[in-house]
């Protein structure tokens, strides 16, 4: 039985009986009732994980009417983690009716399952999806439905809305305006179409504050908005034009997995043109640092060289020559040579080469990319153009049109769902102040904002895991979202909120509407529909909702569009520009209260808890910063004041090597002003300097250094010196050593008798440093978030961290090194422990026994890998983090009801299989021993029942890895993937000179190929 | 009434003077230290065995006087009839009242003792069932793997078939677990008799090698 069938057997459908209609007043769970309920179940939770709640409260609360409540153990329910521009199919592991962990849905067709010699199929998620549960169990989401500032009952609001709907149906919807957040949800667009049919004169806008420039270009070239899907697994050469497609792009989890799936077998290589220093850039084989303000020159150079290689007819090409001559001077000779060399390289691999363009790149780059792909033969082969079943139709307006309608007084009822005009709208939309206008505003957000209190009606939006919904994965597969819990704070789902505005005769529940969507997509009816829909819910996917269209590009039209764009671009100034990059963690800032994502260090800089400016060394020299750091302390950085139009911001400044000249980088989505305990005022909100939703480059009027400041940078960040130089050089593929890392296992020492010997191999070629493993580890092992001050002191609690190293003196060649407990066979920590709190078990794991630990910390001092973490305080208590953060909101006092709610709710997220560590004990990676044990127990039970299912249970990090870079398994089993890679020629251990004999081996990266050697012949060599 | 108080006061006075006399006698600090030590040990043992939630104690009073003896010995119900996690899951499971209701809507429905169950069914009044067995938070026990390996229910619940009111029968201490894990002879039974709970009810004991004594087997 393979993994998929195994997974299929275990997946369940959420019990829809009590989740289905989440309406009516009785469903609203007030904070008070929630606390009451919590105290009743606290025995259950207490048994689960967190500190012993004592003998006084030993009562079960047996909820009426649900038979399997107390004995269902774990349940796996397929759903999806939905974000602004992507959705990741996941399976939620639910314990006693609450989700505690998300894992990639192995059945879902979006994942590539092709043959891969080295390691697992790339089935994983990303860091943001892993951290989704922190949003779900967030007490800051608790606020009531309101009329003006007064709390009301939900039913009163819906009663009122029904009245309006009846009136609106008569007036064809005149006076109604709906602005809803963009997203990959087909049912939402279907619902908007339905609304538009019912109320033809209403004003509907889909608000996407991080609009991709591709959608505009796509309209220009093909007349409709298309989505792109790259078959990166088939490529051998990729050129990225200002695209961080394995780093910060929304679907990076998908692209990274596909790019790395066959990278060793097919010797695929990647070249990058970028202004910033992105993960795609530092992992690439060639990188050109040019800011997008020089996009015209780069594009024309590429097209000019391509034309010489036969992109188009002579006449068009020679015309380009003229324009190329105009802008040629902005690039140096060296840069032009690099571009030519890359083009030659791509042309050698025609049919297998692909150009990827970043969504933030100017439209001219998108046109260029399209043309180059056409020339390379990649269109429709390696790039698929997907057309949505329910695209945002032409009937839908732009947000600025809605704003205009409001100003013109045409709008009486304004419905805002998940949009934040004051936080994220670009200034060019001219959103009116609604305070004094007669417009009746219905405002729904997951977190309370000041604007809500001024709105006529407002209410909470439920988390996607609390409501019915659907989403499209990048390949266009329809993916249903099942509610995993009843809305904890009584919110209403996004789809539900839209459906409320349908007139009575058309209104259906979100569940029925979803089934309708499924019926339209699948064409099934009646009984087949029921069966098919249930099966779709159970498996977590349905038929495709975006289908491929085959397009032929009209070269003449494309070149005409190109010329228009050249005119536009040439008019722009090229002073220092601020590149605004969407942060995949926050996107438009709708969910700003996720502590795990604040704590997750940026893999390139290692900075946590804030955003910052990045500049290159040339610009830094221009600013007069001699030494790039103000002091020898790693955490101390310069503060810079940056002036853009009339705005002035002060942000920390980080100097990075190899950033393009004249480019300052910053991340969007930070600096939430909402009343949230964790996310309020972290970083600076840069949304307001933008004028348009697709503007990612703004001119900087002035930048100057204003002082010094402290940043919370983790020890792993900022590509430091090389502590273990020799091994690292080998890992980076700089020094090829054919000697195997070390001799065989020493399992006999541990008295093993047929027990598995666990080991892990990490392929550094495949690791893209995304941090999914880090957050998965946090969620799985109840690792606390410690806050910025503790990080500054080097007390981060990550069991698994991503270290980045610059290697070989090359600032553009980095190494991302997942660093966790190496489970050394000759572990130095065990020798140092005075109380035997850390010992080896018979499966070769170095285990840590918290009950024995006395906090001597000798083990941590003796660990050469810095893999051990000490609980200096009771980090597991959320009160610690809240006291650290000190927002300007009222403090949560010890013993207050609010703090109690925080503690109880945060406990719901904890994994009941892992102890919550107390203050004063050491902790470290356990290879998720509870998961291994669980798999072993299940295997035994199955074997006894003569049901021989092979359960592939792996640590959380391995499961979460989107590229399959981590391979885990039994080293004594010669058929396992890990045993095959264990003695691979490229495998090496860290710090071999210490003689620790780690149970983790790293596969070294491939040597870089040099573009200067070009032109070469196409080689068939396989590495 | 007054008389009783006088007697009590007299006794108190006498006891006080006796104590003072006795205290007068032990002047040596060594004796004091010994006394403190003995007292401390007694307090510690008392705390450990009586106060902590996982230790032995009186059977808690439940909303329904449920008797394991009646159900299991007299009616010969299988454990798994109600605790159906016992065979495969980590937790045997506290049965939902719906399971009680399956039978008791036919049997003994009018009895006063079952009134809370009726209320649960008809009005949704929750039942507050007191927990009897409780392992410390740092121990992770798996019912399924133990029953699969042939550890009979009565190994850890030896008196369950005799009790009208369920109480903790053994102190689930580490030495209790490790004793079996090291050498499991005589405890492991064949598959059929694992769930039989009458003591000495037959089923032959089989000998297997001891289970894992890795720390990580139970503490994670």
């Amino acid at each position: 039985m393979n993994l998929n069938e195994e997974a299929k057997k275990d997946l369940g459908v959420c019990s829809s009986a009590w989740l289905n209609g989440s309406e009516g007043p009785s469903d609203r769970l007030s904070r008070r009732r929630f606390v009451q309920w919590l105290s009743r179940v606290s025995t259950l939770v207490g048994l689960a994980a967190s500190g012993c709640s004592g003998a006084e409260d030993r009562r079960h609360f047996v909820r009426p009417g649900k038979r399997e409540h107390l004995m269902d153990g774990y349940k796996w329910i397929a759903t999806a983690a939905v974000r602004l521009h992507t959705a990741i199919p996941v399976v939620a592991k639910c314990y006693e009716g609450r989700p505690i962990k998300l894992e990639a849905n192995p059945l879902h067709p979006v994942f590539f399952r092709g043959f891969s010699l080295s390691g697992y199929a790339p089935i994983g998620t990303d860091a943001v999806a892993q951290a989704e549960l922190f949003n779900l169990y967030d007490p800051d989401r608790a606020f009531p439905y309101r009329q003006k500032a007064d709390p009301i009952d939900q039913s009163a609001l819906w009663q009122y809305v029904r009245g309006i709907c009846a009136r609106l149906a008569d007036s064809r919807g005149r006076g109604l305006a709906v602005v809803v957040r963009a997203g990959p949800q087909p049912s939402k667009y279907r619902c908007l179409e339905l609304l538009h049919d019912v109320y033809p004169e209403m004003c509907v806008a889909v608000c996407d504050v991080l609009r991709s420039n591709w959608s505009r270009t796509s309209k220009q070239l093909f007349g409709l908005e298309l989505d792109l899907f790259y078959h990166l697994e088939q490529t051998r050469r990729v050129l990225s034009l200002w695209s961080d497609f394995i780093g910060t792009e929304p679907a990076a989890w998908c692209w990274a997995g596909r790019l790395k799936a066959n990278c060793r077998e097919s010797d695929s290589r990647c070249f990058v043109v970028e202004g910033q220093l992105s993960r795609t850039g530092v992992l690439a084989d060639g990188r050109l640092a040019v800011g997008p303000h020089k996009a015209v020159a780069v594009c024309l150079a590429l097209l000019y060289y391509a034309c010489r290689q036969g992109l188009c007819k002579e006449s068009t090409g020679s015309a380009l020559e003229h324009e190329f001559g105009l802008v040629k001077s902005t690039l140096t000779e060296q840069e032009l040579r690099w571009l030519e060399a890359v083009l030659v390289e791509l042309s050698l691999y025609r049919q297998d080469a692909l150009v990827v363009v970043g969504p933030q790149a100017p439209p001219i780059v998108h046109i260029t990319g399209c043309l180059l792909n056409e020339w390379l033969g990649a269109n429709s082969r390696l790039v698929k153009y997907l057309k949505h079943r329910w695209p945002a139709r032409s009937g839908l307006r732009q947000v600025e049109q809605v704003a205009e309608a409001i100003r013109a007084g045409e709008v009486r009822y304004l419905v805002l769902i998940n949009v934040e005009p004051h936080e994220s709208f670009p200034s060019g939309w001219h959103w009116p102040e609604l305070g004094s206008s007669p417009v009746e505003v219905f405002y729904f957000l997951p977190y309370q904002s000041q604007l809500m209190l001024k709105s006529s009606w407002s209410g909470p939006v439920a988390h996607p895991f609390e409501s019915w919904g659907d989403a499209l994965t990048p390949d266009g597969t329809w993916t249903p979202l099942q509610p995993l819990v009843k809305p904890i704070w009584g919110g209403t789902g996004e789809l539900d909120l839209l459906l409320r505005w349908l007139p009575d005769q058309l209104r259906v529940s979100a569940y029925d509407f979803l089934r309708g969507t499924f019926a339209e997509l699948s064409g099934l009816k009646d009984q087949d529909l029921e069966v098919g829909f249930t099966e779709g819910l159970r498996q977590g996917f349905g038929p495709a909702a975006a289908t491929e269209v085959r397009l032929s590009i009209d070269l003449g039209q494309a070149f005409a569009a190109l010329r228009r764009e050249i005119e536009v671009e040439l008019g722009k100034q090229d002073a220092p520009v601020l590149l605004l990059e969407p942060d995949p963690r926050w996107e438009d800032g709708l969910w700003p209260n996720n502590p795990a994502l604040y704590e997750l260090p940026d893999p390139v800089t290692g900075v946590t808890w804030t955003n910052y400016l990045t500049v290159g060394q040339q610009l830094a020299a221009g600013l007069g910063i001699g030494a790039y750091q103000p002091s020898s302390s790693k955490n101390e950085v310069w503060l810079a004041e940056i002036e853009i139009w009339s705005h002035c911001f002060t942000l920390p400044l980080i100097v990075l090597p190899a950033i393009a000249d004249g480019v300052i980088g910053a991340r969007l989505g930070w600096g939430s002003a909402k009343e949230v305990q964790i996310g309020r005022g972290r970083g600076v909100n840069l949304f307001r300097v933008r004028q348009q939703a697709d503007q990612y480059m703004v001119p900087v009027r002035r930048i100057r250094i204003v002082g010094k400041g402290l940043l919370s940078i983790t020890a792993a960040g900022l590509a430091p010196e090389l502590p273990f130089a020799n091994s690292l050089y080998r890992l980076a593929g700089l020094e090829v050593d054919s000697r195997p890392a070390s001799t065989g296992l020493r399992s006999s020492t541990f008295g093993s008798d047929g027990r598995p010997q666990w080991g892990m191999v990490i392929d550094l070629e495949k690791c893209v440093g995304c941090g999914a493993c880090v957050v998965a580890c946090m969620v799985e092992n109840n690792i606390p978030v410690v806050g910025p001050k503790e990080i500054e002191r080097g007390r981060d609690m990550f069991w698994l961290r991503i270290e980045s190293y610059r290697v070989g003196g090359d600032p553009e060649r980095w190494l991302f090194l997942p660093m966790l407990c190496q489970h050394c066979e000759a572990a130095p920590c065990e020798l140092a422990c005075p109380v035997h709190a850390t010992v080896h078990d018979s499966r070769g794991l170095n285990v840590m026994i918290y009950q024995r630990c006395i906090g001597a910390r000798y083990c941590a001092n003796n660990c050469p890998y810095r893999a051990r973490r000490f609980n200096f305080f009771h980090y597991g208590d959320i009160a610690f983090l809240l006291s650290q953060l000190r927002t300007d909101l009222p403090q949560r006092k010890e013993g207050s009801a609010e703090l109690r709610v925080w503690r109880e709710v945060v406990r719901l997220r904890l994994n009941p299989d892992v102890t919550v560590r107390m203050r004063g004990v050491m902790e470290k990676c356990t290879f998720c021993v509870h998961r291994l044990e669980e798999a072993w127990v299940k295997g035994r039970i199955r074997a006894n029942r003569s049901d021989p299912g092979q359960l592939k249970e792996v640590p959380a990090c391995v499961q979460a890895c989107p590229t399959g870079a981590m391979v885990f398994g039994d080293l004594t089993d010669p058929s396992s993937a890990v045993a095959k890679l264990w003695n691979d020629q490229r495998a090496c251990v860290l710090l071999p000179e210490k003689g620790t004999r780690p149970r983790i081996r790293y596969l070294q990266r491939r040597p870089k190929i040099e573009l200067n050697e070009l032109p070469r012949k196409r080689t068939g060599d396989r590495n | 009434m007054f008389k009783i108080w006088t007697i009590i006061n007299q006794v108190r006075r006498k006891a006080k003077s006796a104590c003072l006399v006795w205290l007068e006698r032990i002047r040596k600090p060594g004796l004091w230290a010994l006394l403190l030590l003995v007292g401390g040990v007694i307090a510690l043992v008392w705390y450990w065995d009586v106060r902590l939630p996982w230790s032995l104690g009186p059977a808690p009073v439940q909303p329904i006087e449920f008797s394991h003896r009646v159900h299991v010995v007299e009616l010969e119900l299988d454990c798994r009839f109600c605790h159906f996690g016992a065979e495969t899951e980590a937790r045997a499971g506290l049965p939902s009242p719906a399971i009680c209701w399956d039978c008791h809507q036919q049997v003994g429905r009018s009895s006063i003792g079952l009134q809370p169950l009726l209320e649960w069914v008809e009005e949704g009044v929750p039942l507050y069932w007191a927990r009897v067995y409780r392992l410390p938070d740092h121990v992770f026990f798996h019912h399924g793997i133990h029953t699969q390996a042939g550890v009979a229910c009565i190994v850890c619940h030896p008196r369950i078939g005799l009790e009208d009111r369920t109480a903790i029968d053994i102190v689930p201490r580490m030495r209790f677990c490790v004793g079996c894990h090291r050498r499991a002879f005589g405890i492991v039974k064949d598959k059929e008799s694992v769930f039989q709970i009458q003591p000495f009810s037959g089923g032959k004991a089989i000998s297997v090698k001891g289970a894992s004594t890795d720390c990580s087997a139970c503490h994670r």
Side-chain angles (χ1 to χ4, degrees), chain B residues 5-40:
Chain B
W5 276 114
T6 5
I7 295 167
I8 289 176
N9 275 340
Q10 281 171 1
V11 170
R12 266 182 61 200
R13 249 176 252 130
K14 278 189 179 165
K16 202 178 168 188
S17 56
C19 271
L20 284 175
V21 169
W22 197 65
L23 283 176
E24 200 73 6
R25 282 190 199 145
I26 35 173
R27 282 270 168 89
K28 293 175 184 166
L31 265 176
W32 274 108
L34 196 72
L35 211 68
L36 271 178
L37 201 74
V38 170

Side-chain angles (χ1 to χ4, degrees), chain A residues 782-784 786 790 795-797 799 848 850 853 855 857 868-877 880 915-924:
Chain A
N782 303 336
I783 296 174
V786 295
E790 294 294 291
R795 293 176 181 173
D796 53 305
M797 293 301 283
W799 286 4
M848 179 73 216
Y850 311 119
C853 181
R857 288 184 275 150
R868 292 182 159 263
R869 295 284 181 271
F870 188 66
N871 288 277
F872 284 93
F873 296 96
H874 190 178
Y875 295 131
D877 186 357
F880 177 81
T915 315
V916 172
R917 282 75 59 182
M918 61 182 292
R919 173 181 173 168
V921 300
M922 192 56 80
E923 61 184 67
K924 65 160 198 87

